[in-house]
């Protein structure tokens, strides 16, 4: 098994502050973390990295002390009223942390406008050395792999990428053979988890599962070996595995992060 970057995503241990998350990642054997500069929902608890200079200082210090690197920042949304210039503060923070990747969601029913905004964001991100990744999710306006591929390719920017998350890949009905049509240069990392059971008919239930109840790799029904073989070799993996049931049972963030990476390594040994 070749060595590859394995990153701890914020959603896996969302209760932790960024410095504590970095400490947990180091103790569990990760090389990288993903940081949230913008919350995914209005309801989730958020640590305001952009507004809190002291938190930013502590985060940078913990990165230095542990040797952990930042893989990506998240999550910026392209909406009908988005002003892409407003994202500059996130990109500046991402560059300060050393992130090379940015997670982007498409929440605009006008695909042409979404494509133009994505191109504009790529242009804004380029001087920072950051690659925006459009993540398809079945409840957004960019629902499937083919939707994200079309927007990114039509945007026509070298640093524009598609983010494959194993959960969304499964729940959107995307297919492994479709991946071969995307240039490997358009994929700089992927998000890994497992999914259990058939795809629900209710989108609210899909959303609940995505944010609260995923499974560790190898515990569910996804063909993760097939997915990993379809992706570029040694692609960095971000482990995004919220497990609300374990949190409620008192399983610590360190234990959950350790379970996630241990399960992932066992899957990787099967490649």
């Amino acid at each position: 098994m070749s060595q590859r970057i394995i990153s701890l995503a914020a959603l896996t241990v969302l209760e932790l502050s960024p410095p504590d998350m970095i400490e947990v990642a180091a103790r569990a054997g990760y090389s990288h973390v993903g940081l949230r500069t913008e919350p995914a929902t209005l309801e989730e608890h958020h640590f305001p990295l952009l507004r809190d200079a002291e938190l930013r200082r502590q985060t940078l210090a913990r990165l230095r002390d542990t040797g952990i690197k930042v893989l990506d920042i998240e999550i910026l949304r392209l909406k009908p009223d988005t002003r892409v210039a407003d994202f500059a503060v996130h990109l500046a923070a991402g560059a300060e942390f050393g992130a090379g990747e940015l997670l982007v969601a498409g929440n605009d029913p006008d695909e042409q406008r979404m494509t133009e905004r994505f191109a504009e964001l790529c242009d804004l991100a380029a001087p920072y050395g950051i690659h925006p990744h459009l993540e398809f999710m079945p409840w957004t306006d960019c629902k499937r792999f083919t939707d994200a591929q079309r927007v990114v390719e039509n945007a026509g920017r070298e640093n524009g990428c598609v983010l494959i998350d194993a959960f969304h890949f499964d729940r959107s009905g995307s297919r492994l053979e479709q991946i071969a049509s995307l240039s490997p240069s358009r994929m700089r990392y992927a998000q890994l988890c497992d999914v259990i059971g058939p795809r629900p008919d209710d989108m609210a239930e899909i959303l609940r599962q995505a944010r609260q109840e995923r499974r560790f790799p190898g515990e569910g029904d996804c063909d993760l070996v097939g997915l990993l073989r379809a992706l570029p070799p040694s692609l960095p993996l971000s482990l995004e595995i919220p497990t609300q049931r374990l949190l409620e049972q008192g399983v610590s963030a360190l234990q959950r992060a350790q379970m996630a990476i241990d399960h992932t390594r066992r899957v990787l040994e099967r490649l």
Side-chain angles (χ1 to χ4, degrees), residues 34-249:
L35 296 178
R36 283 202 165 169
T37 59
E38 181 78 9
T41 69
L42 295 175
E43 295 78 27
E44 79 175 40
H45 182 65
H46 179 61
F47 296 90
L49 270 173
L50 297 188
R51 298 194 307 275
D52 189 334
E54 176 59 19
L55 180 61
R56 220 163 41 247
R57 187 197 66 75
Q58 292 173 7
T59 300
L60 288 164
R62 199 66 59 91
L63 289 169
R64 283 194 303 270
D65 292 346
T66 60
I68 292 289
K69 307 295 185 186
V70 175
L71 177 66
D72 67 304
I73 58 170
E74 57 176 357
I75 168 177
L76 301 184
R77 297 186 182 276
L78 299 177
K79 303 176 183 178
D81 60 351
T82 290
R83 293 178 68 254
V84 171
D86 292 343
F87 292 154
V89 63
H90 294 271
L91 296 167
E96 184 181 17
F97 291 125
E101 325 303 337
L102 164 66
L103 191 157
V104 183
N107 294 94
D108 190 340
D110 184 334
E111 185 174 302
Q112 179 61 37
R113 182 171 56 202
M114 188 197 304
T115 303
E116 292 170 358
R117 297 265 171 80
F118 185 76
E120 188 182 347
L121 176 55
C122 288
D123 291 342
L124 189 66
Y128 296 97
I130 290 176
H131 299 73
H133 285 63
L134 185 58
E135 182 179 16
F136 58 96
M137 309 176 213
W139 58 86
T140 66
D141 295 297
C142 183
K143 302 180 185 305
R144 319 174 174 78
F145 172 81
T146 50
D147 298 334
Q149 178 181 13
R150 190 170 58 248
V151 169
V152 169
E153 290 182 343
N154 287 340
R157 298 302 191 267
E158 284 190 11
N159 61 333
C161 298
V162 173
L163 179 60
I164 293 177
D165 178 313
F167 182 94
H168 305 317
F169 196 85
D170 176 272
R171 290 317 197 213
S172 68
S174 298
R175 303 191 309 277
L176 291 178
E177 58 268 23
Q178 294 170 332
I179 298 174
S181 66
L182 183 66
S183 168
S185 66
R186 296 289 189 197
M187 294 175 279
R188 290 174 51 91
Y189 77 113
Q191 290 183 324
L192 200 69
C193 67
D194 214 330
V195 187
I196 199 160
R199 187 162 57 250
D201 295 328
D202 179 18
M203 191 60 71
E205 173 57 16
I206 292 178
L207 185 56
R208 186 196 70 81
Q209 290 177 359
R211 291 182 173 162
Q212 298 181 14
E213 294 297 345
R214 304 192 191 190
R215 294 296 190 271
F216 297 119
E219 284 190 339
D221 301 311
C222 279
D223 178 12
L224 294 183
V225 170
L227 177 61
L228 289 166
R229 286 175 176 164
L231 296 172
S234 299
L235 190 72
L237 299 175
S238 170
L239 307 189
E240 185 174 73
I241 315 171
T243 47
Q244 185 70 25
R245 69 194 184 285
L246 296 183
L247 179 63
E248 291 172 354
Q249 290 167 13

